[in-house]
Amino acid sequence: MSEKVYVTREEGEALSFNYDFKQIFHHESSQPKTLPEYVLVKWYIKQPEQTKQLALEVLDFLYKFTFATQSQLERMLRMKGLDPEGFDGILDALLDQRMLNFCYFSKFDQGGAPPEDAFRVHCLDFGAIAILSHFSSSDSITWFTTDVMRSTELVLKYLTTALFYLSLAETRGSALRYFKAAYDVSIGHRDIRFSGSFEIMQGSSPHPFIIESIRAFDLPVGWEDKVEKKVVPFSCQSKNWAKYFASEPVYLFLVEDEKQALEAASIFFRRTGKDNFRLITDGQLKGGLSKAAFYKYVPVEEEDPSNPGTTMVVPNKVGKLRKVRSSLLSGEAEKLEK
């Protein structure tokens, strides 16, 4: 059997595949090859109402989340009460107008059309800016070709963030006050990018969260480095988080499986000493947040030799994970699962 040189749709939907592959785009984004703004706007206005509505939602979603699979885009449309019938044709039309592009993942660029079963990840192209500038709610649309030129590892993180958002919006709906993908903060001259941030309302009380997608390639060195050099200064020193949030945000880590969850959690606790975080695996996330189990990290405790009869946390020993349900994220009362 010949070696597979590209990622198939089935493999890609699992959001875990060989990082040796690279992005191959359907076409090279080029402003000179993009139709003038007035031509694109006139084309859009002439489209059927359903086409215009679906197209605008798709362009807006990709502007906010950078990447999305077709299944994620269709899920987003259904969540908004829109029927994605004929969606394939709409995507093709947006591609022809250079409002959209897509990439697939291969060991090398063979030229020509991508394989029919290749895993496609959609993103914006220059033409989208004309439509979003005229018809979206934002009056400050900017986009660069470099926004979508990312390593395979980072594309997977963006897709995981989009998956989490869709699950959260479906479950919490109006309680979700905001969601910002690729959330940037700064401490002096140090810039920090998290996978996202969001806020859930509980009555009149806002509850902020920071999410971070942690993949297999991050562990252990990459995650240790980020926690030490970026998370600790932001969360543990001088309350730098207070520049961005009214109350201290809870960290939520998106991980591939339970084994990686434990490794990521133990690193975070050992470096920060904080236990205000939760984790969720891809498998739990794909089943929807209303039924998902999150993980809480339980550190090791041993008898305190200086104070017999009491215990002390031992941060350098790996603790364990305990499944919990989250009232804020699933809408149900939080409880521990035995």
Side-chain angles (χ1 to χ4, degrees):
M1 181 179 294
S2 60
E3 183 182 6
K4 185 66 66 66
V5 296
Y6 65 91
V7 178
T8 65
R9 188 177 300 110
E10 182 179 358
E11 293 169 336
E13 290 292 345
L15 297 183
S16 179
F17 48 82
N18 195 317
Y19 304 130
D20 292 337
F21 295 108
K22 63 179 181 178
Q23 282 179 306
I24 308 295
F25 285 95
H26 173 266
H27 59 262
E28 180 183 1
S29 292
S30 169
Q31 204 156 23
K33 292 182 180 179
T34 305
L35 292 171
E37 181 174 330
Y38 72 90
V39 175
L40 292 171
V41 171
K42 285 183 177 180
W43 174 88
Y44 176 81
I45 291 175
K46 291 178 181 179
Q47 300 307 305
E49 194 60 36
Q50 184 192 25
T51 299
K52 289 193 291 185
Q53 193 172 12
L54 266 61
L56 186 59
E57 292 289 356
V58 166
L59 297 181
D60 185 62
F61 188 86
L62 290 172
Y63 180 67
K64 293 174 180 175
F65 290 89
T66 309
F67 299 104
T69 65
Q70 181 168 340
S71 62
Q72 288 178 335
L73 293 173
E74 291 177 350
R75 183 176 176 182
M76 176 271 296
L77 293 172
R78 291 191 184 95
M79 184 178 68
K80 290 178 175 287
L82 300 173
D83 183 0
E85 183 180 358
F87 191 50
D88 286 349
I90 293 174
L91 287 179
D92 288 341
L94 294 175
L95 195 65
D96 291 341
Q97 296 296 322
R98 288 183 175 263
M99 296 177 186
L100 285 189
N101 201 349
F102 71 77
C103 65
Y104 66 102
F105 303 91
S106 178
K107 288 191 174 180
F108 50 87
D109 188 354
Q110 295 177 286
E116 282 295 322
D117 65 337
F119 177 55
R120 297 185 180 189
V121 174
H122 299 275
C123 58
L124 293 185
D125 202 352
F126 279 112
I129 308 309
I131 305 306
L132 290 171
S133 296
H134 281 266
F135 302 104
S136 75
S137 59
S138 176
D139 59 359
S140 57
I141 301 295
T142 57
W143 182 83
F144 304 98
T145 54
T146 50
D147 291 346
V148 298
M149 294 178 181
R150 306 286 177 179
S151 66
T152 299
E153 294 93 328
L154 288 181
V155 175
L156 285 171
K157 289 194 175 197
Y158 278 84
L159 291 177
T160 309
T161 301
L163 175 63
F164 175 78
Y165 162 76
L166 291 169
S167 298
L168 181 65
E170 287 171 345
T171 302
R172 299 301 287 135
S174 59
L176 179 59
R177 187 180 180 199
Y178 70 78
F179 191 104
K180 300 176 183 178
Y183 185 65
D184 295 325
V185 300
S186 62
I187 305 172
H189 299 293
R190 183 179 306 177
D191 294 323
I192 306 171
R193 167 161 287 186
F194 295 108
S195 296
S197 75
F198 64 94
E199 197 167 82
I200 294 288
M201 298 300 295
Q202 190 175 47
S204 60
S205 302
H207 295 268
F209 289 79
I210 288 177
I211 61 172
E212 184 70 9
S213 177
I214 304 170
R215 305 289 94 186
F217 62 84
D218 289 310
L219 297 167
V221 178
W223 180 230
E224 287 178 337
D225 189 62
K226 183 163 188 173
V227 172
E228 186 69 38
K229 296 180 179 179
K230 297 189 174 183
V231 176
V232 167
F234 181 72
S235 293
C236 305
Q237 297 174 3
S238 303
K239 287 191 175 181
N240 283 306
W241 55 263
K243 300 174 185 176
Y244 297 89
F245 301 95
S247 59
E248 186 173 6
V250 172
Y251 281 91
L252 178 61
F253 303 132
L254 315 179
V255 294
E256 294 184 38
D257 55 40
E258 191 170 334
K259 179 181 178 182
Q260 292 173 21
L262 180 58
E263 186 173 9
S266 62
I267 290 171
F268 184 83
F269 182 79
R270 185 170 67 249
R271 293 286 193 270
T272 68
K274 291 180 175 290
D275 62 1
N276 61 330
F277 68 95
R278 295 290 185 269
L279 308 98
I280 186 171
T281 63
D282 290 352
Q284 291 286 341
L285 182 56
K286 289 173 183 176
L289 292 187
S290 63
K291 300 179 180 179
F294 294 81
Y295 289 97
K296 172 184 173 63
Y297 182 71
V298 181
V300 174
E301 291 189 358
E302 295 179 352
E303 184 174 0
D304 186 349
S306 63
N307 192 6
T310 63
T311 60
M312 58 181 291
V313 171
V314 185
N316 290 327
K317 288 188 176 182
V318 177
K320 61 182 180 180
L321 298 176
R322 182 176 295 166
K323 287 184 178 180
V324 300
R325 297 297 297 275
S326 170
S327 59
L328 286 172
L329 301 178
S330 69
E332 296 183 5
E334 179 158 311
K335 60 183 180 179
L336 299 183
E337 294 187 5
K338 299 294 184 181

